[in-house]
Amino acid sequence: MPLLKVENLCKSFDNSSGFFFSGRFKAVNNVSFTLDKKQTLAIIGKNGSGKSTLVKMIAGITEPDSGQILFERHPLSFGDYQYRAQHIRMVFQDANSAFNPRLNIGQALDAPLKIATDLTEAQRNKKIFDTLRLVGLYPDYTNLKIKHLSVSQKQRVALARALILEPEIIIVDDALGSLDASVKIQLLNLTLDLQAHLGISYIYVGENLGLIKHMADQVLVMDEGKIIEQGTPYQLFTAPAADITRRFVESHFGRLLTADSWQNDALPT
């Protein structure tokens, strides 16, 4: 049984380009896929391909027009925020805008616990301390203002906020791709360690194929709201069937990968 099953998901938006054209365009058009436990699914595509709209529907931020999303066979409904927040969480691309900068770390992590749990203050504090340790931060960081943190620390706090309710799925919306190489490698290793120890499944949306090569089990390629190709990173990066996938791979690696070059263990840049 898959952990997550997406069936025939669709979403359209109004499209207005001045006086001469108006109507609706299909941002996500009849998309279906599954995600298994302890697996990572990467979604790639050019800007406007529909990948961000797709994951926002899974996270409960955007309402689908049709189709369904099932978590462990349980249909998810738009507006089921408390239930969904306990099972599916999202780490956004820009950590600088993901928090109220006036809050300290403890306040940022306490908010979802207050909203979604009945834990006492003492129990919430223990949960905050334990979660900070999971992401490599000290418990006494709770009093630090978020605006004073480095980018790496902000991303760790963002990951801690996603982890705090012990979800089964975390959606990572290109939160690693824009970081410098050393921070990127640290956070990549952290996400893989958390997956190994906690059994988390990830949905990663981004364009860094080097990251995807190291972290993903399956890759979806989207274009104009549809899935045009799906497979393992090895399959898609060595022998893509779609021209769009080929261009992505050649743009990132300079060429299609081969069996020999796939064995190169160089970490992503």
Side-chain angles (χ1 to χ4, degrees), residues 38 134 163 189-200 202:
K38 209 174 180 179
L134 277 177
L163 286 168
N189 289 333
L190 174 61
T191 57
L192 295 176
D193 287 344
L194 290 169
Q195 185 173 60
H197 288 97
L198 302 177
I200 298 168
Y202 291 111

Side-chain angles (χ1 to χ4, degrees), residues 97-137:
S97 61
F99 298 101
N100 181 340
R102 292 174 293 182
L103 298 180
N104 61 37
I105 292 176
Q107 292 169 325
L109 298 185
D110 196 34
L113 293 175
K114 284 182 175 179
I115 293 170
T117 76
D118 296 321
L119 297 177
T120 66
E121 183 178 355
Q123 290 170 327
R124 296 199 310 272
N125 287 338
K126 182 180 185 303
K127 186 66 178 173
I128 291 169
F129 297 157
D130 290 344
T131 306
L132 286 174
R133 291 189 186 97
L134 277 177
V135 300
L137 296 175

Side-chain angles (χ1 to χ4, degrees), residues 44-192:
I44 65 175
K46 62 186 179 182
N47 290 341
S49 62
K51 57 187 187 295
S52 291
T53 300
L54 173 60
V55 295
K56 287 178 180 177
M57 287 191 285
I58 296 169
I61 298 170
T62 298
E63 184 176 10
D65 293 334
S66 60
Q68 65 175 349
I69 304 165
L70 297 100
F71 174 80
E72 293 186 331
R73 296 182 179 173
H74 175 84
L76 300 179
S77 301
F78 185 71
D80 57 357
Y81 303 117
Q82 185 164 2
Y83 177 83
R84 200 178 310 219
Q86 293 175 332
H87 300 287
I88 303 172
R89 303 283 285 166
M90 194 162 182
V91 179
F92 293 96
Q93 180 176 12
D94 185 5
N96 289 314
S97 61
F99 298 101
N100 181 340
R102 292 174 293 182
L103 298 180
N104 61 37
I105 292 176
Q107 292 169 325
L109 298 185
D110 196 34
L113 293 175
K114 284 182 175 179
I115 293 170
T117 76
D118 296 321
L119 297 177
T120 66
E121 183 178 355
Q123 290 170 327
R124 296 199 310 272
N125 287 338
K126 182 180 185 303
K127 186 66 178 173
I128 291 169
F129 297 157
D130 290 344
T131 306
L132 286 174
R133 291 189 186 97
L134 277 177
V135 300
L137 296 175
Y138 294 110
D140 57 5
Y141 276 36
T142 52
N143 293 322
L144 291 180
K145 293 286 187 182
I146 290 174
K147 64 182 179 181
H148 297 314
L149 302 180
S150 68
V151 174
S152 173
Q153 289 171 328
K154 288 177 183 176
Q155 286 292 7
R156 288 174 187 268
V157 175
L159 187 56
R161 185 171 62 177
L163 286 168
I164 197 95
L165 295 179
E166 300 182 16
E168 289 86 349
I169 298 170
I170 293 180
I171 299 170
V172 181
D173 186 9
D174 203 21
L176 304 180
S178 61
L179 303 174
D180 66 56
S182 61
V183 173
K184 189 183 302 177
I185 291 168
Q186 290 173 14
L187 292 176
L188 170 63
N189 289 333
L190 174 61
T191 57
L192 295 176

